Amino acid sequence: MTETETIDLLRRLMAIPSVNPEHTQDPDIAGEGRLAEFLAGWLEGRGARMAWEDGLDGRPNVVGVFGPETAPRTLLLTAHMDTVGVEGMTIPPFEGRLDNGKVYGRGACDCKGPMVTGLSALTPERVDRLSAAGWRLLFAGVFGEETGNLGADRLVRSGWRADRAIVLEPTDLAVVHAHKGALWLEIEALGRPAHGSTPSLGVNAITGLLRVWQHIEQRHRDQLEQRRHPLLGPPTLSLGQVEGGTATNVVPARCIARLDRRILPDEDPAALIAEVETAVCEVQAEGGLVSGAVRVIKNGRPFFTPPGAALVRGLAQACERSGVKPRLTGSGWYSDAGPLSALCPEIVVFGPGGIAQAHTADEFIEVKCLQKACAILGAYLDGLARPGGEETA
């Protein structure tokens, strides 16, 4: 695709509102259905066989399949269709305004610019060469990434499989071959109410939960050095929300806290959950709580693809052939690569745009970066289609 065609496709995608329903009350901009319809038509027009997957409340995944079903190898390209909300934006969110080498609007960077990178690579000639080289190609538009990787989880449950996968996200052209997992826990602490003038007659759920947090935090500090990952660094722990109490003069009977624990590829989520449950039990045994419970809000798996894997090396070579210095890295943020690593042995995150521009009031993507990403992905696919694959590049 030419630069003009690439920009035009991006602006067409941005003109279709696909705000995650949890980020808006406006039905005219909520949901991924309209974008899914467009993607299905676009992919089908280029020869794809379409598969639709019903998701949450009618929000679909849409998968375009290129090449023979019996191909010995499968490559998955995927991008999420939902965006964050538009409240507080300082620019028109769906106009796709082009100004001074940048395209502005909601989704320009996250994730419709990266999505265009994948779509632009699907030329009929390239798809035919990949098919002849023994590759089946999947392009998946998935729903609900911004609030829990719902569409990616749905792909996994549906039984899709691939040998390699590229998750299209704004990485500023870096090849992200590892990121931490996201374990979110809710702790419910129950005490016993009493009048604020006689606190000794009650059991304060808020102070009890603070004691639980102190136990958890101390364990985390003690384990940091032994759990440090050579690429991703240490795991992290954050107390994100606390809700409790009914009035100033009432000893609180209930308190809720929500924790964000970023986990490393070699950590066991079940063991981490057990540590939190143990902390609750210890405070209860000390008399600091009447009872407590731990619930899992999100258990997003981490992923790690070795730097020597064919996918990582192939993308690095494609960067070099496109005049971009390869950058292999890991990340602390989370993406669909976490759940999708369950269906694919080699997976990376890659795309144009910087994470600093995602979700901002004046979100944009640089056209130059978008074009470089298109060139890199095209070069990678061309490498796969060569006799002997990318090893001959």
Side-chain angles (χ1 to χ4, degrees):
M1 294 175 66
T2 66
E3 179 176 308
T4 299
E5 291 170 332
T6 301
I7 295 172
D8 178 66
L9 179 57
L10 174 56
R11 297 183 70 187
R12 291 171 69 188
L13 295 179
M14 293 173 62
I16 304 171
S18 57
V19 176
N20 190 296
E22 294 190 32
H23 289 203
T24 183
Q25 299 296 316
D26 184 352
D28 291 334
I29 65 174
E32 299 91 340
R34 290 172 292 259
L35 183 56
E37 290 280 358
F38 176 87
L39 278 178
W42 198 95
L43 292 166
E44 196 167 30
R46 280 146 186 82
R49 304 182 300 281
M50 299 311 303
W52 286 78
E53 295 189 336
D54 291 333
L56 186 69
D57 297 327
R59 299 163 62 193
N61 283 339
V62 59
V63 184
V65 183
F66 298 88
E69 293 291 348
T70 57
R73 295 168 294 179
T74 297
L75 171 68
L76 168 66
L77 304 177
T78 181
H80 67 86
M81 297 182 290
D82 59 322
T83 70
V84 295
V86 299
E87 186 176 356
M89 291 194 72
T90 58
I91 57 174
F94 309 118
E95 189 177 290
R97 177 166 55 89
L98 177 62
D99 183 22
N100 197 26
K102 300 175 182 177
V103 179
Y104 288 84
R106 182 57 81 225
C109 174
D110 186 15
C111 185
K112 294 177 182 180
M115 180 182 289
V116 165
T117 300
L119 295 176
S120 71
L122 303 178
T123 65
E125 298 80 13
R126 183 173 285 138
V127 169
D128 287 345
R129 291 197 301 271
L130 285 165
S131 296
W135 285 93
R136 181 179 70 147
L137 185 62
L138 308 178
F139 186 95
V142 298
F143 72 93
E145 188 271 349
E146 296 290 359
T147 53
N149 311 99
L150 305 175
D153 284 336
R154 180 74 170 84
L155 280 183
V156 174
R157 294 196 308 272
S158 298
W160 292 95
R161 292 293 179 268
D163 299 281
R164 302 181 191 178
I166 300 175
V167 178
L168 299 163
E169 287 276 8
T171 69
D172 199 21
L173 306 181
V175 180
V176 176
H177 63 101
H179 69 49
K180 297 176 183 178
L183 179 63
W184 296 351
L185 302 178
E186 180 179 87
I187 304 172
E188 180 182 31
L190 299 178
R192 184 169 57 247
H195 195 279
S197 64
T198 55
S200 62
L201 300 179
V203 177
N204 191 309
I206 292 178
T207 57
L209 198 145
L210 288 176
R211 287 166 62 180
V212 171
W213 168 248
Q214 289 169 352
H215 282 242
I216 296 168
E217 195 175 35
Q218 183 59 54
R219 278 194 179 90
H220 180 72
R221 284 199 299 265
D222 292 344
Q223 297 166 348
L224 275 184
E225 286 306 315
Q226 59 183 319
R227 288 183 171 172
R228 182 177 294 271
H229 189 274
L231 178 64
L232 298 174
T236 59
L237 175 67
S238 174
L239 178 60
Q241 289 181 297
V242 178
E243 303 169 2
T246 56
T248 304
N249 61 342
V250 177
V251 173
R254 182 173 183 266
C255 187
I256 296 287
R258 297 181 182 92
L259 312 183
D260 181 336
R261 175 64 155 78
R262 298 300 164 118
I263 63 178
L264 302 177
D266 57 353
E267 289 190 291
D268 179 9
L272 300 176
I273 295 167
E275 289 178 5
V276 176
E277 291 172 334
T278 297
V280 172
C281 291
E282 288 174 348
V283 174
Q284 183 178 340
E286 296 165 0
L289 290 174
V290 172
S291 64
V294 179
R295 301 181 184 90
V296 178
I297 304 171
K298 177 184 179 72
N299 188 359
R301 59 186 287 160
F303 90 94
F304 175 74
T305 301
L311 173 58
V312 180
R313 288 187 289 106
L315 266 178
Q317 291 167 1
C319 287
E320 290 178 339
R321 294 199 299 273
S322 303
V324 175
K325 184 178 180 180
R327 290 183 295 124
L328 309 184
T329 188
S331 176
W333 44 252
Y334 199 70
S335 78
D336 281 340
L340 292 178
S341 63
L343 63 77
C344 186
E346 294 187 23
I347 190 166
V348 298
V349 189
F350 171 79
I355 198 67
Q357 277 77 53
H359 304 184
T360 57
D362 62 345
E363 182 177 349
F364 67 84
I365 192 167
E366 293 185 352
V367 173
K368 183 183 298 185
C369 188
L370 178 61
Q371 287 299 108
K372 287 181 180 178
C374 292
I376 291 168
L377 186 57
Y380 172 71
L381 296 181
D382 290 341
L384 291 184
R386 290 189 182 95
E390 68 267 49
E391 298 299 331
T392 65

